[in-house]
Amino acid sequence: SQQGEEDPQALSIQEGENATMNCSYKTSINNLQWYRQNSGRGLVHLILIRSNEREKHSGRLRVTLDTSKKSSSLLITASRAADTASYFCATDGNQGGKLIFGQGTELSVKP
Amino acid sequence: DAGVIQSPRHEVTEMGQEVTLRCKPISGHDYLFWYRQTMMRGLELLIYFNNNVPIDDSGMPEDRFSAKMPNASFSTLKIQPSEPRDSAVYFCASSGGRDSAHFNWAQYFGPGTRLLVL
């Protein structure tokens, strides 16, 4: 069963705009991670937020976590055409190294 | 570091043939994961190892699939016999090490093996 579910499934924006993707999950977690996948490539780890953290930044990325609502969001500011990719959230479900991935959000940034 | 290495990158085979996918994890990582990705089912965890020992193989579709990790630097995923519905991209990923005081749970993916079973 899916642990993480992303919303929206697809998002199309203009270069320079911000992109926000949301993730909901079902069980308690130790951490939540976001990954990017460019077409035809492997997933690339972007950022990890622990269950006791509420917000984390990495460059143009901002991740928030609300454990009471079992949800997270990924914000990409000042998007670029190179940000075009699929973005996945993944949760560990308190199961150590194992991650369960959502279906992903397909982001298209138009120049 | 070269990252996670997978071979072959592409495999085309006929139904009924044996397929072996190979993975070399990042040196020092003690977790290794095999995933399968399709448009219909998304990214599915098939099996994962910790210190070369299989921990959870509940995602392995059926007995036709088997995975081994004979040492810390090598793993195989075998499909015998292969079927057209096994066509997918198979990813290997590894994780491990420490990020300051915390275990680094980030997973590092290989480029994948694109399998087509005719």
Side-chain angles (χ1 to χ4, degrees):
Chain A
S1 62
Q2 293 293 344
Q3 167 72 318
E5 294 186 6
E6 287 91 343
D7 168 59
Q9 290 189 339
L11 179 62
S12 182
I13 60 174
Q14 294 294 130
E15 209 165 28
E17 294 180 340
N18 295 341
T20 299
M21 289 158 269
N22 302 297
C23 170
S24 60
Y25 58 92
K26 297 175 183 172
T27 65
S28 62
I29 61 171
N30 289 315
N31 66 76
L32 183 144
Q33 303 181 36
W34 286 90
Y35 287 77
R36 182 187 75 228
Q37 184 179 31
N38 291 88
S39 180
R41 312 287 283 274
L43 278 74
V44 175
H45 178 259
L46 295 176
I47 194 165
L48 178 152
I49 186 165
R50 302 183 197 284
S51 60
N52 61 353
E53 298 175 314
R54 292 296 167 258
E55 188 170 314
K56 202 162 183 180
H57 296 253
S58 177
R60 294 184 296 112
L61 305 180
R62 173 179 165 245
V63 170
T64 61
L65 179 64
D66 186 336
T67 52
S68 67
K69 294 181 180 178
K70 291 186 168 59
S71 68
S72 173
S73 67
L74 171 67
L75 169 67
I76 304 174
T77 60
S79 63
R80 305 166 182 169
D83 295 328
T84 295
S86 292
Y87 292 82
F88 295 86
C89 71
T91 53
D92 68 340
N94 268 325
Q95 297 181 67
K98 175 178 177 178
L99 290 178
I100 300 176
F101 286 81
Q103 292 284 6
T105 292
E106 197 172 319
L107 173 66
S108 174
V109 181
K110 300 184 186 310
Chain B
D1 198 319
V4 175
I5 299 172
Q6 290 186 247
S7 65
R9 294 292 308 276
H10 301 272
E11 177 83 23
V12 180
T13 191
E14 292 188 346
M15 184 174 63
Q17 296 298 306
E18 177 180 294
V19 175
T20 299
L21 311 181
R22 297 173 177 80
C23 175
K24 177 178 169 51
I26 292 173
S27 177
H29 282 186
D30 49 11
Y31 282 87
L32 183 139
F33 307 84
W34 282 101
Y35 292 92
R36 178 173 68 177
Q37 187 176 39
T38 61
M39 289 293 291
M40 291 295 294
R41 299 175 67 89
L43 191 66
E44 302 172 279
L45 175 66
L46 300 176
I47 185 172
Y48 79 99
F49 297 82
N50 179 216
N51 292 321
N52 313 337
V53 175
I55 302 300
D56 184 349
D57 66 354
S58 60
M60 296 286 262
E62 48 201 272
D63 292 344
R64 297 184 298 105
F65 285 69
S66 62
K68 294 181 180 179
M69 192 165 186
N71 58 62
S73 59
F74 184 65
S75 177
T76 59
L77 177 68
K78 187 174 291 187
I79 308 173
Q80 166 64 14
S82 58
E83 297 182 3
R85 60 192 168 123
D86 302 329
S87 298
V89 182
Y90 291 81
F91 289 104
C92 175
S94 69
S95 69
R98 285 198 165 267
D99 174 13
S100 66
H102 298 283
F103 188 88
N104 184 5
W105 292 113
Q107 293 188 13
Y108 296 84
F109 282 70
T113 295
R114 191 171 297 271
L115 173 65
L116 177 61
V117 183
L118 303 173

